[in-house]
Structures are given as C-alpha cells and as structure tokens.
C-alpha cells in the first residue's frame, strides 16, 4: 500500500533556463493536461515536495541554490531533468560558465530531452519518476537514505 | 439509548473518530468542485487521504525540536475544541481551546528560522485578530437568544436562531472564509498551488508534521460547519442544506476573488463584526427578546 505514487508534489527550479521548458511545465497544470487529476500539485516549497523538476543548463551562479533546493526535499525524492539543457547542457554546454547538465551537481533519476520538452513528455517523465520514487521508498525502509547510504549506518 | 451521563462522552468520541473522515471528504469534494469551476477534471475525492498518507510515508526533517510539540498541541487543542463543542460543552470554552490551538501553530511557525515562516506566522496572528471578535459575537448572540452558552442547551432550545441572528450569521460566513483559508483571505497559507511567501505558516513543516496539520484542518472543518448547524438546529434538514449552500458559496468566493492585503482583511472583518454583528445584537437587546425564559 503506497500513497506516495498517488500524491506526488513537485517543486520546480529554473537553473538558467530560457523559460521555454518552464512554460511547458506550467502548461501541464492547465485545464488541457490538468496534472492535478493524478494528485500532482506544484508546491513552490521544497520541504513539501517529492519530485524536483529542474530546467536549464546549470551555471556557476545557481549551482549552489540548486543543491540547496535538492537538500531541502525530504526523502524519498526524485529529480527530473527537463529539456535538453538540463540533460546535457544543450547548445550552451561549451560556454565557460555552464556546468552542462543537472547531473553534474545533483543525482538525476529521469532525463526528459527536448527543446522545449513537450507537456506530454514532461508528464511521461513524471510518471516514470513515480516508479523510481516507489523503489527509493522501499530502499529507504531498508537502509535509511537512498542517495546517501551512510545515513542509514550513522543512525 | 445511551444513559444520560455518558452522552457527552459518547458524542465527543464519535466526533474524534468520525470528524477526520468527514473533514477529509469535505476537502476532497472542495478540490473537485474547485477543479470543475476552473474547467479541469480535478483529483479523486479521496485525494486528501492519499496526500496525508504520503506525508506520513516521508522523512520527518525537523528544524527545531520544539516544532514537534507545537504541532502536536495544535492538533490536540483542535480536537479538544471540537470534542467540547459536539459533546454540548460551553461555547466560550470551545472558542478558547480553538484560539489556543491556533496560537500553537503560530508559535510553531515562529520556532523555525525561515523568514517565510515568520511572515506566515505574523499573517496568521492578523487573521486571528480579524476573525476572533465575530466568533465571540456569534457565541454572545446565541446566549442572548437562548440564555445559555452551552451547546447542548442551544440545540435543545428548538429556537430558530437564524431568525434572530441573521446579521451574526452573515458575519460568521464571512469570517468562515478566513478560517477555511479561502481567497480573498488566504493570507497565512493556502491549500492551492499559490506560491506567495512560499507556503506561509507551514513552510518549515514537512512530512508527518505537515500531515498532522492537515488532519487538524479536517477537524476544524467539521467544527466550523457544526457552528452553522447551531443556527438551524431546530430543523436538521434545513441545517444540512444551509451547510451545503454555505460551503458551496465559500468555494465560489474562493474561485472568483483575488487575495487582498492584510489591512483590507482586518478592516473588512472588523467592520462586518461591528455592523452586522453588533447591530444585530443591539436590536435584540433593545427589543428585549428573551426567547427561552
């Protein structure tokens, strides 16, 4: 019996995205797609969230805030990188200040490429993330934090 | 039938067991109706139960240890307020426990270090200041009509209280908007995906603690709608219809109004308490209406 998959709350962080993917994420909340019918709520508070949706190629300026937002989400949590910039750095990956993908800073579970990623593929990515979220919950029950195995040992 | 001395205990126990189920269903229907008003499909009716179930599955990151105590006190005093009400207790004591529970959530928000949480706590205090006079006037109005502060006596009086207190009733409906955290008065925190000041008083509560706050809200819903029942207690059918209409109006107001600033909230709540509430009570006093000798 799991409630986690029936009520995934998302928090969205824009790591120097061009707003293209962000508009598409917000489009998923509109009457046309209405992700709330799956219980998905856009919270705006990382402490209430289960899924971190991240857009943009991370740069020097926002890699620390991104890490902070990730750390504030209570376990179990998953990260979905939305758009080609978030997955690999996209056309900006050669830039001097660009890290080139969210997975350079925090562990990513689902990559949703596209420029911009379409709402359908974003929803598909979130649904894929739900399966991983459930696996992480089961692993957390076994041995503390899934992304930090040492957390279980110190307790 | 239940023996007379045990009836209050029985009703209190029924409230403690049944109120979360009703409160959760009310919250679920609220979200469904809201979604339909916005042209969306909306979540399942049982969604609030899934949400709280999930919150109890999550890790419990506690910012300061005292938070746990404050959240627990919030839930306990909310349950006490409702249980006193449904067991036919003293309205003044009910309002006292009800206010105390909100003071605990404010203290809980102040206990964290987040500025968003502090802003939410300040706004919650302003909301308490705004709705408290009207809630007390409601109890005083019922005393003037039935000569008793005890809920059991008020219900047993079989007086159509609404006919004597129409102004107080309208005033109560307006502060109910504040209490149910509906627009235009959802300043301290909101059930919607609004993102102003992050999440207000609940910003620094996560996982099981947030789940407890949600459960306290369910108890609160049932208690607040129970007060509407008191106005119509002489006829249960009309009371149920009144509760349904009142709640539908709250959802409609929620979906058609923008959030106001705290000054306007405080001013409008007090002006309404001062005009509708006090004038209503003044007329009753002037006419010397004593219904139950």
């Amino acid at each position: 019996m799991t409630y986690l998959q029936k009520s995934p709350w998302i928090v969205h962080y824009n790591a120097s995205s061009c707003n293209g993917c962000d508009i598409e994420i917000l489009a998923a909340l509109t009457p046309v797609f209405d992700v709330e019918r799956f219980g998905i709520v856009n919270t705006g508070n990382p402490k209430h969230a289960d899924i971190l949706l991240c857009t943009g190629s991370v740069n020097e300026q926002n890699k620390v805030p991104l890490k902070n937002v990730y750390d504030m989400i209570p376990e179990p949590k998953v990260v979905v990188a939305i758009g080609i910039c978030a997955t690999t750095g996209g056309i900006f990956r050669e830039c001097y200040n660009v890290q080139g993908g969210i997975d350079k800073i925090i562990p990513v579970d689902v990559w949703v490429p596209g420029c911009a990623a379409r709402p359908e593929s974003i929803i598909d990515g979130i649904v894929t993330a739900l399966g991983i979220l459930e696996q992480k919950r089961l692993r957390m029950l076994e041995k503390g934090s899934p992304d930090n195995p040492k957390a279980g040992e110190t307790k | 039938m239940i023996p007379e001395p045990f009836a209050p205990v029985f009703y209190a126990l029924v409230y403690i067991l049944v109120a979360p189920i009703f409160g959760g269903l009310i919250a679920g229907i609220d979200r469904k109706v809201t979604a339909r008003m916005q042209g969306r499909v909306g979540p399942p009716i049982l969604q609030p139960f899934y949400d709280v179930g999930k919150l109890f599955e999550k890790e419990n990151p506690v910012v300061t240890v005292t938070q746990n105590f404050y959240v627990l006190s919030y839930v306990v005093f909310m349950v006490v307020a409702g249980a006193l009400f449904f067991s036919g207790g003293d309205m003044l004591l009910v309002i006292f426990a009800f206010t105390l529970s909100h003071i605990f959530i404010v203290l809980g928000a102040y206990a964290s270090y987040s500025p968003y949480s502090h802003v939410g706590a300040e706004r919650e205090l302003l909301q308490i200041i705004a709705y408290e006079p009207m809630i007390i006037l409601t109890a005083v109005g019922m005393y003037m009509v039935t000569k008793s502060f005890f809920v059991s006596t008020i219900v047993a009086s079989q007086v159509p209280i609404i006919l004597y207190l129409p102004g107080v009733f309208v005033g109560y409906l307006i502060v109910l908007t504040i209490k149910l955290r509906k627009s235009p008065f959802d300043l301290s925190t909101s059930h919607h995906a609004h993102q102003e000041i992050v999440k207000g008083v609940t910003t620094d509560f996560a996982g099981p603690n947030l789940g407890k706050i949600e459960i306290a809200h369910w108890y609160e819903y049932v208690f607040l709608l129970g007060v509407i029942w008191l106005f119509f207690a002489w006829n249960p059918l009309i009371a149920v219809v009144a509760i349904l209409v009142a709640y539908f109006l709250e959802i409609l107001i929620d979906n058609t109004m923008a959030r106001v600033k705290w000054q306007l909230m405080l001013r409008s709540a007090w002006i309404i308490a001062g005009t509708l509430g006090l004038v209503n009570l003044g007329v009753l006093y002037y006419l010397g209406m004593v219904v139950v000798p």
Side-chain angles (χ1 to χ4, degrees):
Chain A
M1 188 68 179
T2 173
Y3 297 105
L4 201 54
Q5 288 179 295
K6 287 179 177 171
S7 152
W9 292 358
I10 56 171
V11 62
H12 166 217
Y13 183 73
N14 177 339
S16 63
S17 166
C18 70
N19 268 332
C21 294
D22 309 275
I23 297 281
E24 299 297 319
I25 289 172
L26 292 178
L29 302 169
T30 57
V32 178
F33 298 99
D34 185 30
V35 289
E36 205 197 351
R37 64 202 152 109
F38 306 120
I40 300 173
V41 173
N42 189 9
T43 62
N45 180 2
K47 287 191 178 174
H48 293 182
D50 310 297
I51 300 177
L52 171 60
L53 296 187
C54 200
T55 53
S57 52
V58 197
N59 64 23
E60 285 292 331
Q61 290 255 317
N62 52 33
K63 67 178 188 186
V64 177
L66 174 63
K67 185 80 173 66
N68 283 346
V69 168
Y70 175 77
D71 287 340
M72 273 195 277
I73 302 175
E75 300 285 354
K77 57 190 167 188
V78 287
V79 179
V80 183
I82 306 260
I84 195 66
C85 297
T87 48
T88 64
I91 55 165
F92 303 107
R93 69 185 178 280
E94 307 273 288
C95 293
Y96 66 93
N97 62 339
V98 162
Q99 306 291 310
I102 305 297
D103 50 4
K104 297 282 195 298
I105 311 296
I106 55 175
V108 173
D109 300 285
V110 182
W111 289 264
V112 181
C115 182
R118 292 192 59 76
E120 288 94 338
S121 54
I122 293 172
I123 294 172
D124 188 37
I126 294 172
V127 171
T128 312
L130 291 181
I132 300 168
L133 198 59
E134 180 57 18
Q135 287 171 19
K136 286 196 176 184
R137 187 182 75 88
L138 294 174
R139 259 162 46 208
M140 192 179 100
L141 288 178
E142 286 167 16
K143 55 151 195 179
S145 167
D147 291 322
N148 183 13
K150 283 180 183 173
E153 294 164 19
T154 51
K155 275 177 188 168
Chain B
M1 273 303 287
I2 316 131
E4 191 62 34
F6 298 113
V9 181
F10 172 75
Y11 288 125
L13 279 178
V14 167
Y15 170 77
I16 290 168
L17 295 175
V18 176
I21 299 166
F22 267 99
L25 283 176
I26 291 167
I29 293 165
D30 183 342
R31 281 176 72 172
K32 194 81 180 172
V33 173
T34 299
R36 287 294 158 86
M37 281 182 182
Q38 296 169 356
R40 294 186 287 115
V41 177
I45 301 283
L46 295 177
Q47 188 62 42
F49 297 104
Y50 300 152
D51 288 349
V52 168
K54 176 208 67 177
L55 288 169
F56 280 97
E57 282 176 353
K58 297 272 287 183
E59 178 194 25
N60 191 13
V62 176
V63 184
T64 49
V65 188
T66 45
Q67 267 190 333
N68 294 330
F69 166 72
Y70 289 133
V71 166
L72 191 65
S73 305
Y74 174 57
V75 182
V76 166
F77 278 96
M78 189 60 77
V79 174
V80 165
L84 276 173
F85 179 83
F86 281 93
S87 64
D90 192 333
M91 270 298 270
L92 292 179
L93 196 58
V94 170
I95 293 170
F96 172 71
F98 185 66
T99 310
L100 190 60
S101 81
H102 287 95
I103 295 299
F104 276 116
I105 191 76
V106 170
L107 286 173
Y110 270 128
S112 82
Y113 307 108
S114 161
Y116 306 114
S117 191
H118 286 194
V119 173
E122 276 156 22
R123 289 181 174 199
E124 181 74 23
L125 274 178
L126 285 165
Q127 290 192 355
I128 295 173
I129 296 167
Y131 71 70
E132 201 66 10
M134 195 60 234
I135 299 262
I136 290 170
L137 283 184
T138 306
V140 172
M142 288 184 182
Y143 173 79
M144 288 182 77
V145 176
T146 63
K147 283 284 167 263
S148 173
F149 278 117
F150 281 88
V151 175
S152 52
T153 319
I154 295 172
V155 172
S157 70
Q158 291 294 313
V159 179
I161 297 175
I162 181 72
L163 299 180
Y164 297 95
L165 299 171
V168 170
F169 181 65
V170 174
Y172 179 76
L173 284 189
I174 288 163
V175 294
L176 195 64
T177 318
I178 304 178
K179 280 315 310 140
L180 295 175
R181 306 190 184 289
K182 300 280 187 202
S183 279
F185 301 134
D186 53 344
L187 293 134
S188 70
T189 185
S190 163
H191 285 117
H192 294 294
H194 301 161
Q195 294 187 10
E196 197 191 1
I197 56 164
V198 187
K199 209 65 183 168
V201 277
T202 59
T203 301
D204 260 350
F205 298 107
N209 273 345
L210 188 64
K212 284 176 205 159
I213 292 176
E214 278 302 312
I215 291 172
H217 281 162
W218 297 347
Y219 277 108
E220 191 179 358
Y221 283 161
V222 175
F223 161 65
L224 290 168
L225 297 179
V227 177
I228 296 184
W229 177 285
L230 275 194
F231 283 95
F232 300 90
W234 48 281
N235 189 333
L237 186 69
I238 296 178
V240 170
V241 172
I243 287 173
L244 290 177
V245 170
Y247 204 84
F248 182 78
L249 277 178
E250 293 295 343
I251 299 173
L252 190 68
I253 290 168
D254 189 28
N255 281 294
T256 47
M257 301 282 224
R259 183 184 288 151
V260 299
K261 289 182 182 172
W262 68 265
Q263 291 94 333
L264 186 58
M265 175 197 66
L266 195 58
R267 213 177 292 141
S268 51
W270 276 15
I271 286 172
I272 282 155
T275 52
L276 288 174
L278 278 181
V279 167
N280 194 161
L281 297 191
V283 169
L284 273 188
Y285 180 77
Y286 181 72
L287 296 175
M289 271 191 199
V290 181
V291 179
V292 177

